[in-house]
Each structure stands twice: as C-alpha cells, then as structure tokens.
Amino acid sequence: MSIQQRTQYALILGMLAALGPLCTDFYLPALPDITAHLQVATSVTQLTLTASLVGLGLGQLVFGPLSDRMGRKVPLLASLVIFILASIGCAMATRMPDLIVARFIQGLAGAGGAVLSRAIARDCYAGPELTQFFALLMAINGVAPIAAPVLGGLQLALTGWQGLFITLALVGIAMLVVVFTQLAESYPPQRRQKQQGNMAASFIAVMRERRFMGLCLVQGFMLAGLFAYIGASSYVFQSHWQLTPQQYSYLFALNGVGLIVFSLGTVKLSGRWGEKPVLVGALVLSVIAAVILLLCGVVGAPLSVIVPVLFVAVSINSAVCTLAGAMAMQAQGQHSGTASAFLGTLMFIMGGVSAPLTGIGGTSFISMGVVLGGSYLLALLSYVLIARKA
C-alpha cells in the first residue's frame, strides 16, 4: 500500500470511527434544551445518551461477525443507510420515548463504522504498524470531540436541537458516498471461505484468550470513566459554574485536544520503551489524576484548578485506549471482525452504564468524579489481575 493510499485509508477509517463520538458529542450542548422542550427530568434525557451508547455496543455484535463472512464493505454501506434514517427520526421525535428509540437505532448503525474501521485496519496492518495506525485513527477520531460540541453549540443557536440531527444525517450521506466510491474491500473472498462455524463459535474463540479479555476490560473501564465525564459535564459546568453552551463547548474541545496529543505521544513513547511499560505508566497516571480530581471536588477547588486536572484525567484516556486496543487486536487475525466487535461492544455498554450512574442522587461534580475514578481503578486492576498474568 502506497503512502497516498495509506493516508486516504487513515482519513476514511478515521471518519468512520468518528461516527460514534459524533453520536454522543455533537448534541451535548443541547441536552438542557431537550430536557426543557420535552418536559422531562434530567436523568431521563441522559437516557438518550445511554441508548446511543448501548446501540453502539450491540450493533458491533452484528456488523463485526457479519463482516467476517460477507466482507467489510457491504455491511458498512448498510450501516450508513440505517444511520441516515435514524438521524432523521431523531430530528422528527416529539416525545422522549421516540427520541430514545431513535437514538438507540442511530447508535446501532453508527457501530458499523466503529467496528469495521478497526477490522479493516487489522486486515491491512500488524505489529507496531497496527499500533501506529490505531494511534492515527484515535488522533483523527479526536477531532470529533473537539469540533462536534463547538459546532453543535453554534448550530444550536440557529436551528434548535432538531437541526443537529439533520446535520448528522447529512454527514451520514457524505460518508455513504465516500465509502461507496473510495473504499476498496479489504477482506477478500478466499479469506472469508476459511471462516467456519457460527457467530457463537467465533465469540467463544476470542473470549478464551485471557490476555485479549484483560485488555478488553482495560479499555472498557477506561471508556466507562470517559463517558461518565461526557454524560455529566454538560450539566456540571453549565449549572454549577454557570458556563454558557458555547463556553462549555470550548472546555470540551480543550480536552479533545488532549486526547489527540496523548494518543500521538503514546506512539513515540511506546516505540522507545515498549508498549507494556507505557500502558502500565498511563494506567497508574490515570488513577492518580482521577483521585486528585475527586479531591478538588471535595474541597471545592476553583475552576482554574479544576480545568488542568480534568485535562490530564480525560486526556490520559486516549493513551491507555490506544495501547490496550492495539495490543488486544494484534493477536487476532481470522476472527478480527468478531474480536473488534467484542472489544467495541464491551466498551460502549460499559460506557452506557456509567453515564446515568452520575445522575443518581443528582448530577454533580462529585458524582462524576466518583464514577470516573472508580472506572479508572477497575481498569488498572483488570490489567494487573487478568491481562498481565496471561
């Protein structure tokens, strides 16, 4: 594959992987408006985030194994068509139950881009190249958390929250055209013919690998912490610190920059010191940052102290997830689509569960810090007790 083809694939796969963050981040500034417009409780509106995250997880159970048998391109095109229709459904929703269902289907369809971008990368790369490509995917993917809330906040003032979902439908249409015209099939028929058994057998095969499972749990718990921040931060910073939707989007974008910087820095550090030591160091740093963040909330630290600590606590997530995801996929070849599906399903379901936990007893900075810190600690324990011993 030439450098030009490699760059083209990185951009396309990065945009496909970004469909997940777009589902979750683009409409975040509108959560308070949706709550008021549909006249529901804050915790009920947060279920729209949970629904999309669960959909993003469960959808990978369909598109991943299916791509091991049909190839990557056809399931990917189907997922984009469903994504477009679901986004239009979100914009047309007039009741909260309708919006929650549409968000679930939107997440289910968005899972196609998430799982198949990893599977296609595994088809084309292995070893250190795969780690570098994962980091590049996460860097490109990191543009979504930066741009999405900012653009969402700007559009919110012009079109209302329904217009945000129309924009997502237009993004889906653009991606459908790009994939159809520019993305070649990466999983040829001769490789598909080697696939034997049913989906259950494929999942059992990957689940038997202790190291793979341990690294899946590491990434899953880390993203559970990240989604606790995503789900609660809009309420915490706009209510407690009285930030406007636009100011909040800038804060969210700052942490998105950190995700990119830490992801790219991870590649250089792992090339010098090795993947394992860097992963362990990043896990330890994540727990330390989360503990400090929680203490800041307990003592009532000012926003000027909260912001830099939060920056580290959020940004370190990409370092851990880049390495854990690449190391988990490196051992997968024949069942790469299934392995990618399991990896993605676990992390999005765990993220979907963690988001509403911050709203129990009322969403606050403390509740956000407790869920984030607890998730990071469980990620460290998953590596020490499961992955490291494999």
Side-chain angles (χ1 to χ4, degrees):
M1 185 180 292
S2 67
I3 295 177
Q4 183 178 359
Q5 288 176 314
R6 185 188 298 257
T7 303
Q8 181 181 0
Y9 263 59
L11 291 173
I12 295 175
L13 296 181
M15 288 186 291
L16 288 171
L19 286 178
L22 278 176
C23 280
T24 57
D25 300 342
F26 189 64
Y27 89 127
L28 286 180
L31 285 177
D33 284 2
I34 294 174
T35 300
H37 184 262
L38 298 183
Q39 298 181 346
V40 294
T42 296
S43 58
V44 176
T45 306
Q46 284 181 313
L47 289 177
T48 62
L49 177 60
T50 299
S52 67
L53 292 175
V54 173
L56 280 164
L58 294 179
Q60 299 188 52
L61 294 176
V62 177
F63 293 110
L66 193 64
S67 73
D68 282 340
R69 289 153 179 79
M70 295 181 60
R72 314 300 188 200
K73 191 166 183 176
V74 172
L76 183 55
L77 291 172
S79 72
L80 289 170
V81 171
I82 299 171
F83 180 84
I84 295 166
L85 297 176
S87 298
I88 295 173
C90 290
M92 296 175 63
T94 57
R95 301 183 309 128
M96 182 55 71
D98 298 335
L99 181 59
I100 291 173
V101 171
R103 286 283 292 161
F104 172 78
I105 298 173
Q106 187 185 45
L108 197 77
V115 66
L116 295 176
S117 62
R118 291 191 301 268
I120 293 171
R122 179 61 186 85
D123 292 340
C124 301
Y125 304 100
E129 277 196 336
L130 183 61
T131 301
Q132 293 175 6
F133 200 83
F134 262 61
L136 184 57
L137 279 181
M138 289 203 70
I140 296 173
N141 196 19
V143 173
I146 295 174
V150 176
L151 296 176
L154 289 172
Q155 184 178 340
L156 185 61
L158 301 175
T159 65
W161 64 268
Q162 294 91 341
L164 301 181
F165 292 108
I166 294 298
T167 298
L168 289 177
L170 294 175
V171 171
I173 293 172
M175 288 307 306
L176 182 67
V177 173
V178 169
V179 169
F180 185 77
T181 60
Q182 302 297 323
L183 194 66
E185 177 59 64
S186 65
Y187 204 60
Q190 58 268 28
R191 293 184 64 187
R192 294 175 225 164
Q193 292 171 0
K194 297 178 182 179
Q195 299 295 327
Q196 299 175 354
N198 53 29
M199 289 186 181
S202 297
F203 277 106
I204 291 173
V206 299
M207 289 173 66
R208 284 177 175 173
E209 298 186 23
R210 182 183 175 118
R211 181 171 179 270
F212 173 79
M213 286 298 299
L215 291 168
C216 282
L217 288 173
V218 168
Q219 182 162 331
F221 280 121
M222 289 300 296
L223 285 173
L226 181 64
F227 283 120
Y229 153 73
I230 290 174
S233 59
S234 177
Y235 296 101
V236 169
F237 289 102
Q238 292 187 65
S239 298
H240 182 72
W241 276 286
Q242 301 299 312
L243 297 185
T244 66
Q246 197 62 44
Q247 289 171 330
Y248 163 72
S249 67
Y250 292 147
L251 175 63
F252 200 87
L254 173 65
N255 292 323
V257 172
L259 289 171
I260 295 177
V261 172
F262 275 60
S263 178
L264 295 177
T266 298
V267 176
K268 293 185 177 181
L269 292 177
S270 61
R272 178 180 300 178
W273 294 326
E275 293 175 337
K276 276 187 179 181
V278 176
L279 177 59
V280 173
L283 281 167
V284 172
L285 178 59
S286 68
V287 173
I288 294 173
V291 170
I292 296 175
L293 184 67
L294 184 58
L295 290 176
C296 286
V298 172
V299 302
L303 193 61
S304 59
V305 175
I306 294 290
V307 169
V309 178
L310 182 66
F311 176 82
V312 176
V314 172
S315 301
I316 194 65
N317 207 290
S318 66
V320 176
C321 289
T322 294
L323 290 172
M327 291 167 65
M329 289 295 293
Q330 280 172 12
Q332 304 299 325
Q334 184 179 5
H335 300 289
S336 58
T338 303
S340 178
F342 186 87
L343 183 69
T345 298
L346 186 65
M347 67 186 187
F348 279 113
I349 288 180
M350 293 171 73
V353 170
S354 72
L357 289 179
T358 62
I360 296 177
T363 303
S364 66
F365 188 84
I366 298 294
S367 66
M368 183 183 76
V370 168
V371 178
L372 184 145
S375 299
Y376 283 9
L377 179 60
L378 289 172
L380 176 60
L381 292 175
S382 296
Y383 180 81
V384 173
L385 299 178
I386 302 176
R388 185 179 63 88
K389 292 184 177 181

